[in-house]
Amino acid sequence: MSRSIHYYKIFFYIILLVSLNLPQIVFSKIALDEEVKKLTLQLRCMTCQNQSVYESESEFAKDITSLVKKMFEEGKGEDEIKSFLVERYGEYILFKPKFDTKNLVLWLFPFVLFLVFFIFFIIRLKKNS
Amino acid sequence: MSSLLGFIFLVLSVLLSFITIASEIYRKLEFKNFLIISRASTISILFSFLCLVYAFIISDFSNYNVFQNSHSDKPLIYKIAGAWGNHEGSILLWICTISLYGFFFSFQLNVEENFKRLTLAIQHTLYIFFSIFVILTSNPFLINSINVNQGLGLNPILQDPALAIHPPLLYFGYVGYSLVFSFAIAVLLKKNTNNHWVPIIKKWSLISWTFLTSGIALGSYWAYYELGWGGWWFWDPVENISLMPWIAGLALVHSLFMARGERILKKWIIFLSILCFSLSIFGTFLVRSGILTSVHSFATDASRGLFILLIFFLITGFGFLVFLIRAPENERPLDLMFINKTSALIINNVLMMIATITILLGTIYPIFIEILTNKRISVGGPYFNSTVIPILLPGFLLMSIAPILSWQSNKIKKTKLYVFSFLLLSIIILAQSYFTNFNTWGFLGILLGTWIIVASIIAIITSHKLVLSFKYLKNINAFIAHIGVGILILGITFSSIFKIENNFFIEEGEEMKLIDNTIIKFEEIKITNESNFQSLRALFLIKKNNKKTANIQAGKNYYFVSKTITTEAGIYHDWLKDIYIVLGNQEDNKWFLKIYINPLVSFIWIGIVIMIFAGIIGVIKK
């Protein structure tokens, strides 16, 4: 092993560490408005063309925004509000599809592909060296 | 009259294409005459297109298409752009572009005669498929059955200078891959052993990619100021569709750089060449059939969709069939190492492919679900952000050092320097973001962006001596392109994560306070009548540190003919931030105002311009 390979590995470990050790949760209280924003960004404005409730100026979007705000103030959680909206308007309202059996392929396929390639690549590397 | 003439030219051009193909099959023509007929077909279709443009310019409402999509009150530029601002005209432009690429290719030097003939014949076959589509389902030269003296007008949202040139640029990108496709098929059919074809395919795919980049960027810039949503990318299905061939094309360009000596992934290059055009056609099918909900759904007709689907299956099926039967062998096993240039390029290509597949999956998944379970679901921005971006992250990290990796060994020159500067950079950025406004994605984005820029600059300084020459520019071209990407990443990160939004509800004459001593004064509302619309503008005065810096206007346009209202966002550009004002509704004497402060948006456009510049340098020969 030459020295440069050694450095090289260090370089990659650093990248790995930096990306893993990021403080994932910031312990600060997110204001109500921020929560409303976060959720309404994920909701489709049903009367617009591919626009989120948050970005839209339509009547529908205004109604939904105030509804979401009210529900948050009543102490309901994000999931509760989402399932309420899905019951009322159908899953079409969610821009980020639910993680369920129907959407399994959608959510897992890209990462499975990624993993398969990763494993395949490592096997090829071992063979070569 | 011009309609009739246009149609005659269209049919003539198709006939000439048939002759070209027949002469390739029966070998009855000399090469010189073959070229003449092939070029004549292009000239004929160009005349046909000009006839349509002419009909739009003179507002010839006896043409049904002009009647449907134009109006005599429109400014001249939008009359011209109106020719491709509708389905029929834009498909005519599409086939024109197929033919034009063949035309330009016929002047390509260093291609064997047989090879050129075969490529052109395949290109003409593609042309015939699409021109039959035009003639049967989307004829722009139909005669209006009633006598009218006024048209119905062009969709006002399209009446914009950026959008006038957006479709042609985009088509030059999409359709450029048709030539890459034809060429790749010719390579397969000829089974020729030398690798002369590699630089040629590289040049044409780079040309297509550069056009596609400019087309997408222009569309995105248009969305930024015209839609008034404050953003510039919405993961709209039509945007996704343009992104697929773009990423596949990028993978192709990168894999072509591996073509050094014998180490060449022939199979992969050919596969990507076929894939790029397949994705282009598939995209056209999705947009034109109207099965997607999108801001772009302006041309929808089921029979057209089916026809394009048919063409898609024919061409793609044929392409991949030939590929399966006659796939070239890779001449040598690859030197994979952890980590050399070969493996870096392979990782890059695979990640790009996975990203493309993910975008494709997300775009068409709702269609499958609707067919299978009868439920409608949406797959929007949040999905793509949480899949495509993490998948591409390792690629972004790799690209900072990829150009300096070596082919044969896994050593890098000056490793210490890179490790040290990466460490230093991470500490600085971590500290900076920790003390300001910490956000994981923000931190990652800034780190990646700056690291790509810094590493590329280090590489340029240490490995290439500065000489003011074109050769130098060509040598550092990969780094320039990557610096562009770095700047783009910075722009994307800042403008999406650190965007600040303010809502106001105020009267004329009042002032609004924003961050860093910026004050915006809402001066007055002004209503004026233009030739084809009425404009309502709110005038604002921007003051910084009590000094007047700029005037901007935000408002709405009301188009008489189509009775629609468009938003005209008021944007104050600065190198470091944009102030973006959207005028909302009025209640009593007060107006709703949305003011976004978008930091570093300019970096997005600068980054893209640098990438396009690098693309152009890559195309130009030494």
Side-chain angles (χ1 to χ4, degrees):
Chain A
M1 277 277 163
S2 74
R3 279 176 68 87
S4 63
I5 295 172
H6 197 59
Y7 277 122
Y8 200 73
K9 280 195 175 158
I10 295 178
F11 180 68
F12 265 82
Y13 285 131
I14 290 165
I15 291 168
L16 201 70
L17 279 175
V18 170
S19 25
L20 289 180
N21 280 347
L22 296 172
Q24 290 293 331
I25 309 149
V26 184
F27 294 101
S28 66
K29 198 173 174 291
I30 306 168
L32 176 70
D33 283 345
E34 280 298 306
E35 268 188 86
V36 173
K37 178 180 173 184
K38 202 178 142 229
L39 185 60
T40 46
L41 266 175
Q42 295 178 27
L43 300 176
R44 179 194 282 272
C45 160
M46 309 282 274
T47 53
C48 322
Q49 295 267 21
N50 218 37
Q51 202 174 7
S52 75
V53 165
Y54 181 74
E55 291 154 331
S56 172
E57 294 282 313
S58 69
E59 287 302 315
F60 176 86
K62 277 181 199 155
D63 291 347
I64 295 290
T65 312
S66 55
L67 182 73
V68 167
K69 204 167 178 176
K70 207 183 104 208
M71 287 180 87
F72 267 125
E73 279 165 352
E74 283 168 10
K76 295 210 168 81
E78 210 182 293
D79 292 335
E80 250 175 303
I81 301 175
K82 268 192 194 168
S83 49
F84 173 79
L85 288 170
V86 167
E87 215 169 283
R88 202 156 141 186
Y89 298 102
E91 237 189 291
Y92 190 61
I93 199 168
L94 300 180
F95 263 138
K96 190 174 187 171
K98 282 193 286 193
F99 186 79
D100 59 10
T101 38
K102 170 168 87 320
N103 300 335
L104 216 57
V105 177
L106 180 70
W107 280 108
L108 292 185
F109 190 65
F111 297 104
V112 169
L113 266 184
F114 190 83
L115 267 181
V116 168
F117 163 69
F118 196 67
I119 294 163
F120 183 75
F121 189 74
I122 289 177
I123 294 171
R124 277 296 296 270
L125 272 183
K126 288 243 158 112
K127 240 202 227 159
N128 263 27
S129 63
Chain B
M1 186 57 205
S2 60
S3 314
L4 185 64
L5 214 57
F7 191 69
I8 291 171
F9 275 122
L10 172 63
V11 174
L12 178 69
S13 148
V14 176
L15 286 178
L16 288 169
S17 274
F18 268 116
I19 298 174
T20 319
I21 297 165
S23 76
E24 166 62 18
I25 296 169
Y26 299 109
R27 299 264 158 188
K28 286 272 192 260
L29 272 177
E30 267 179 58
F31 187 49
K32 216 171 82 186
N33 298 332
F34 173 87
L35 285 182
I36 290 172
I37 295 176
S38 165
R39 287 169 191 162
S41 165
T42 308
I43 289 164
S44 174
I45 189 66
L46 280 180
F47 273 121
S48 169
F49 187 67
L50 285 180
C51 286
L52 182 67
V53 174
Y54 179 72
F56 268 91
I57 291 175
I58 62 161
S59 293
D60 174 7
F61 296 120
S62 70
N63 177 316
Y64 185 67
N65 191 33
V66 179
F67 162 67
Q68 285 273 320
N69 300 295
S70 195
H71 195 279
S72 53
D73 287 345
K74 267 192 321 188
L76 180 66
I77 168 177
Y78 300 128
K79 282 185 184 164
I80 298 173
W84 54 78
N86 60 81
H87 169 77
E88 288 83 356
S90 76
I91 294 290
L92 188 68
L93 177 65
W94 168 284
I95 64 170
C96 243
T97 321
I98 296 189
S99 194
L100 265 177
Y101 267 101
F103 183 78
F104 289 124
F105 177 75
S106 72
F107 293 101
Q108 168 83 43
L109 303 172
N110 310 325
V111 189
E112 286 164 41
E113 192 183 303
N114 283 336
F115 218 85
K116 197 181 257 186
R117 279 178 90 122
L118 186 57
T119 309
L120 284 176
I122 298 168
Q123 186 77 2
H124 278 289
T125 316
L126 297 178
Y127 171 71
I128 285 173
F129 276 130
F130 284 99
S131 50
I132 289 174
F133 171 68
V134 170
I135 294 172
L136 293 184
T137 73
S138 320
N139 190 345
F141 298 112
L142 293 179
I143 299 295
N144 200 355
S145 53
I146 42 170
N147 236 332
V148 286
N149 45 26
Q150 196 47 273
L152 302 179
L154 173 70
N155 186 349
I157 205 167
L158 303 179
Q159 297 190 21
D160 183 275
L163 220 63
I165 45 171
H166 162 69
L169 279 179
L170 207 57
Y171 281 4
F172 267 96
Y174 276 142
V175 178
Y177 289 116
S178 69
L179 184 70
V180 176
F181 174 92
S182 305
F183 197 76
I185 298 289
V187 170
L188 289 178
L189 292 175
K190 282 279 186 239
K191 272 256 169 194
N192 90 337
T193 45
N194 66 36
N195 292 332
H196 286 324
W197 54 274
V198 174
I200 298 166
I201 219 166
K202 187 164 156 185
K203 176 174 138 193
W204 290 99
S205 54
L206 205 50
I207 290 175
S208 314
W209 182 84
T210 309
F211 272 117
L212 195 54
T213 313
S214 354
I216 295 174
L218 207 63
S220 155
Y221 185 65
W222 166 81
Y224 179 62
Y225 69 74
E226 179 72 31
L227 290 180
W229 299 356
W232 49 275
W233 189 264
F234 306 99
W235 291 105
D236 181 270
V238 173
E239 293 174 342
N240 296 347
I241 281 161
S242 66
L243 207 56
M244 290 188 291
W246 187 79
I247 300 178
L250 198 55
L252 176 61
V253 169
H254 280 92
S255 64
L256 282 162
F257 283 110
M258 286 186 65
R260 292 201 358 168
E262 299 297 303
R263 268 180 216 88
I264 171 173
L265 288 166
K266 270 191 201 167
K267 222 185 223 174
W268 183 241
I269 290 172
I270 299 286
F271 173 79
L272 282 177
S273 310
I274 298 173
L275 183 73
C276 283
F277 189 51
S278 302
L279 287 172
S280 297
I281 308 174
F282 191 64
T284 313
F285 155 68
L286 285 177
V287 180
R288 294 298 160 201
S289 64
I291 54 177
L292 295 170
T293 320
S294 144
V295 267
H296 289 71
S297 335
F298 39 76
T300 55
D301 183 336
S303 66
R304 285 173 186 161
L306 276 177
F307 204 112
I308 303 182
L309 198 62
L310 188 75
I311 297 179
F312 167 74
F313 279 122
L314 271 173
I315 293 174
T316 312
F318 171 73
F320 286 114
L321 196 71
V322 176
F323 177 74
L324 282 179
I325 298 170
R326 307 185 62 119
E329 290 300 316
N330 289 332
E331 278 152 18
R332 260 213 237 166
L334 295 163
D335 304 331
L336 287 185
M337 275 179 231
F338 190 77
I339 190 168
N340 63 353
K341 210 167 201 161
T342 316
S343 48
L345 274 165
I346 292 203
I347 294 174
N348 142 305
N349 264 251
V350 173
L351 292 180
M352 284 183 189
M353 275 301 99
I354 298 178
T356 310
I357 293 167
T358 309
I359 296 171
L360 181 66
L361 185 72
T363 310
I364 61 174
Y365 203 76
I367 305 170
F368 284 116
I369 289 296
E370 196 169 350
I371 294 168
L372 294 175
T373 66
N374 218 3
K375 274 184 191 153
R376 287 186 83 190
I377 65 162
S378 306
V379 180
Y383 169 80
F384 295 105
N385 285 335
S386 51
T387 49
V388 177
I389 295 172
I391 286 169
L392 285 177
L393 273 185
F396 286 134
L397 257 183
L398 208 55
M399 76 183 256
S400 56
I401 47 158
I404 47 160
L405 292 171
S406 125
W407 292 98
Q408 290 88 9
S409 81
N410 52 2
K411 289 173 200 157
I412 311 179
K413 277 191 270 173
K414 305 202 169 57
T415 319
K416 261 191 202 169
L417 181 60
Y418 284 99
V419 174
F420 180 70
S421 42
F422 183 73
L423 265 180
L424 192 69
L425 202 64
S426 350
I427 293 167
I428 294 172
I429 291 166
L430 190 65
Q432 186 269 340
S433 45
Y434 193 79
F435 289 115
T436 50
N437 187 1
F438 189 85
N439 177 303
T440 312
W441 284 111
F443 168 71
L444 270 182
I446 300 169
L447 179 61
L448 273 178
T450 39
W451 170 237
I452 290 169
I453 297 167
V454 168
S456 306
I457 290 172
I458 295 177
I460 291 175
I461 293 170
T462 53
S463 53
H464 296 278
K465 230 164 110 193
L466 177 70
V467 197
L468 282 178
S469 71
F470 186 70
K471 200 173 164 232
Y472 174 73
L473 205 60
K474 192 111 181 163
N475 280 338
I476 63 164
N477 199 24
F479 299 109
I480 294 178
H482 285 186
I483 289 174
V485 178
I487 294 175
L488 175 68
I489 291 176
L490 283 181
I492 292 174
T493 311
F494 273 96
S495 66
S496 55
I497 293 175
F498 302 110
K499 174 155 90 180
I500 301 173
E501 208 188 298
N502 302 283
N503 288 302
F504 295 98
F505 183 52
I506 58 168
E507 274 178 48
E508 285 169 67
E510 284 186 69
E511 287 187 342
M512 299 167 278
K513 279 203 179 84
L514 300 176
I515 49 152
D516 38 270
N517 296 326
T518 308
I519 290 172
I520 299 183
K521 189 175 177 204
F522 178 15
E523 293 192 305
E524 56 168 336
I525 289 279
K526 202 173 72 185
I527 296 176
T528 49
N529 281 313
E530 307 287 328
S531 69
N532 57 337
F533 62 88
Q534 185 180 49
S535 89
L536 174 105
R537 289 288 182 277
L539 307 184
F540 298 95
L541 178 71
I542 298 184
K543 285 188 284 191
K544 194 168 179 180
N545 299 327
N546 277 326
K547 260 187 283 172
K548 182 189 158 193
T549 26
N551 283 309
I552 39 178
Q553 308 188 353
K556 297 161 195 283
N557 287 345
Y558 174 72
Y559 287 82
F560 311 122
V561 177
S562 56
K563 299 195 171 51
T564 44
I565 295 173
T566 61
T567 317
E568 307 291 320
I571 307 174
Y572 169 68
H573 296 283
D574 187 327
W575 288 105
L576 293 177
K577 63 173 189 291
D578 276 10
I579 297 177
Y580 187 105
I581 306 182
V582 184
L583 183 71
N585 295 329
Q586 182 190 19
E587 256 170 48
D588 302 327
N589 271 327
K590 287 183 159 184
W591 293 82
F592 282 104
L593 290 172
K594 227 176 201 179
I595 301 181
Y596 300 91
I597 295 175
N598 290 340
L600 301 193
V601 176
S602 56
F603 276 38
I604 295 172
W605 318 121
I606 294 170
I608 293 172
V609 167
I610 293 175
M611 284 157 76
I612 293 170
F613 171 78
I616 294 168
I617 297 295
V619 171
I620 300 169
K621 273 190 141 184
K622 262 179 216 170

